Amino acid sequence: MIIAGIIGVLLLCTTSCTERKLNITGRNPVIEGYYADPSVIKHNGTFYLYATIDPWGGDSLALFKSTDFENWEKVALNWPTKAQCKSEDSNDSMVWAPSVIEGKDGKFHMFVSVGSEVYAGISDHPEGPWKNVNADQSPFVRTQKEDNIHTIDAEAFLDSDGKAYLYWGSGFDWKNGHCLVAEMNTSMTKLVSEPQDITPANYFEAPYMIKKDGVYYLMYSDGKCTDSTYQVRYATSDNPYGPFKEGKNSPVLHTIPGTDTYGPGHHSVLEEGGKYYIVYHRIADPSAKELLREICADELYFGNDNEILEVQPARGQ
C-alpha cells in the first residue's frame, strides 16, 4: 500500500508537471521585451521561438528557448545578419519575419526577409550554426519590386504528401498585398516551380498555411501593422494552390477596444498536445513614438464547416 501510494503521488506529480508545461496561454506577453513576427517550433522537448527585433527589425534575429513556454533563455544566432544578407538589389530594410521548419531530411530550414528579399538558411540544430543554402550567399527569392510585389514574409509549409511549399509576399504603401506560392525541392534548398499569385480576399501580408482534416487553411494579416487595423484573417481550399475562399467569420483575431489586444497579427501556429495555439504579436503601447510589439499566445479553436473560431485573448493582460 505504501509503495502504491508513492507511485500514485509520483504519477500525480508527473501529470501535473506535464499539464503545467502545456499551459501555453494566459501569460501574455509570453516573453519580456519588444519582438514581432514569431515563428515557433519544438525539438526534443524544447520550444524555440524566433522573432523580429523591434523597432522595425535589427541586424539579426532574436531566438529564445524554453521547456515550459514560460521561462525563456535568449540564444545568440550566427546567421542571418544584415551584413551577411545583401545583394545588388537589397534595400535598407533590416532582418525580419523568420519562418523555421524541420524538414523530412531532419535538418532545420529558415526563411527570412532581409533588404526586402528572402534568404534561406539550413542547420542541423534549431540553435545553429546556420548557413545560407546558396554557396554564393545570394537571396532565395530576389526582389520583385518591378512587379509591385514586396518580397517579404516567407513561410514554409510541408504537406502530408512530403511536398514542400513556400508562401510569401506583401504590398507597398499598405495596399495591394500579393500572396505567392511555389513548390520547393524535398531538401527545401531551391524553388522547383514558377511562383503563382494566389492572393485571397483582404490579404496584405504574413501568410501562414496549416492543413487539418484535409483542408488547407491559408491564414494571413490585413491592415497596417502600425495601428489598430492590423488583424488575422483566413481562407480555405482543398488545394495548396487554391483557389481560396475567405472564411465567413474572418477576421478571427483583431483589436479589442478596452483591452491590451491592439493591432494583433503576423502569427504562426503551434500544434502541441492535440491542441492548436496561435502565436502572434500585438502593439505594446499604441501611444509610443516607435513601433514596439510583444509576443502573445492563445488557443486556436476550429468549429463546424471548416471554420476557425474567433480568438479570445486572455483579458486583463
Side-chain angles (χ1 to χ4, degrees):
M1 293 296 292
I2 294 176
I3 293 175
I6 292 173
I7 292 174
V9 170
L10 289 174
L11 287 173
L12 180 61
C13 178
T14 302
T15 303
S16 252
C17 292
T18 301
E19 288 175 351
R20 216 163 30 244
K21 288 184 179 181
L22 298 183
N23 184 21
I24 290 175
T25 62
R27 292 182 303 273
N28 290 333
V30 297
I31 292 175
E32 292 184 5
Y34 301 118
Y35 305 97
D37 315 327
S39 178
V40 186
I41 63 170
K42 188 180 182 183
H43 176 65
N44 288 342
T46 298
F47 297 100
Y48 295 89
L49 192 154
Y50 305 78
T52 300
I53 300 171
D54 262 350
W56 292 113
D59 288 321
S60 61
L61 293 171
L63 170 59
F64 299 89
K65 66 179 181 179
S66 172
T67 57
D68 58 8
F69 220 84
E70 182 175 2
N71 300 289
W72 296 90
E73 176 187 348
K74 195 168 186 179
V75 179
L77 285 168
N78 72 299
W79 185 97
T81 67
K82 179 66 174 173
Q84 292 166 333
C85 301
K86 286 186 177 181
S87 79
E88 62 274 16
D89 298 316
S90 295
N91 63 23
D92 293 335
S93 297
M94 303 303 284
V95 184
W96 291 345
S99 166
V100 179
I101 187 172
E102 184 174 1
K104 291 291 186 180
D105 54 4
K107 294 185 181 295
F108 296 86
H109 302 266
M110 179 190 294
F111 300 89
V112 61
S113 305
V114 189
S116 292
E117 296 184 299
V118 173
Y119 287 79
I122 190 168
S123 174
D124 292 326
H125 191 273
E127 297 181 37
W130 292 87
K131 66 178 181 179
N132 193 322
V133 298
N134 294 326
D136 63 359
Q137 309 305 308
S138 61
F140 194 71
V141 184
R142 291 185 175 273
T143 181
Q144 299 159 291
K145 188 175 181 179
E146 65 277 8
D147 297 321
N148 201 34
I149 297 169
H150 197 182
T151 311
I152 60 171
D153 294 357
E155 189 66 45
F157 169 67
L158 189 58
D159 206 344
S160 53
D161 62 3
K163 291 185 177 180
Y165 300 89
L166 190 70
Y167 295 82
W168 75 92
S170 182
F172 296 96
D173 301 320
W174 309 111
K175 58 185 179 182
N176 299 324
H178 290 270
C179 182
L180 287 84
V181 63
E183 187 177 343
M184 296 184 282
N185 59 358
T186 55
S187 60
M188 291 190 274
T189 56
K190 66 179 180 179
L191 300 179
V192 295
S193 72
E194 289 296 317
Q196 294 187 29
D197 192 325
I198 58 165
T199 308
N202 299 306
Y203 173 94
F204 184 67
E205 63 186 10
Y208 193 91
M209 175 65 79
I210 58 175
K211 185 180 182 181
K212 184 177 184 296
D213 300 329
V215 177
Y216 294 87
Y217 294 83
L218 180 61
M219 303 180 72
Y220 46 92
S221 293
D222 181 29
K224 295 183 180 180
C225 71
T226 58
D227 62 29
S228 64
T229 63
Y230 211 50
Q231 55 192 346
V232 175
R233 295 179 176 270
Y234 79 99
T236 61
S237 178
D238 60 0
N239 190 293
Y241 288 97
F244 289 93
K245 181 180 179 180
E246 187 171 13
K248 63 182 180 181
N249 58 327
S250 176
V252 294
L253 178 60
H254 51 81
T255 294
I256 303 175
T259 74
D260 288 338
T261 304
Y262 187 94
H266 200 133
H267 73 291
S268 60
V269 175
L270 174 66
E271 186 178 356
E272 173 65 25
K275 296 182 178 182
Y276 291 84
Y277 300 90
I278 182 169
V279 187
Y280 60 96
H281 69 239
R282 68 186 183 192
I283 296 175
D285 182 0
S287 66
K289 293 182 179 179
E290 294 181 310
L291 180 62
L292 299 175
R293 295 163 291 184
E294 54 193 10
I295 306 299
C296 299
D298 287 289
E299 193 162 351
L300 192 65
Y301 295 95
F302 293 81
N304 298 324
D305 300 322
N306 304 325
E307 294 177 353
I308 297 178
L309 303 184
E310 184 174 349
V311 177
Q312 301 294 326
R315 297 302 181 96
Q317 299 183 50

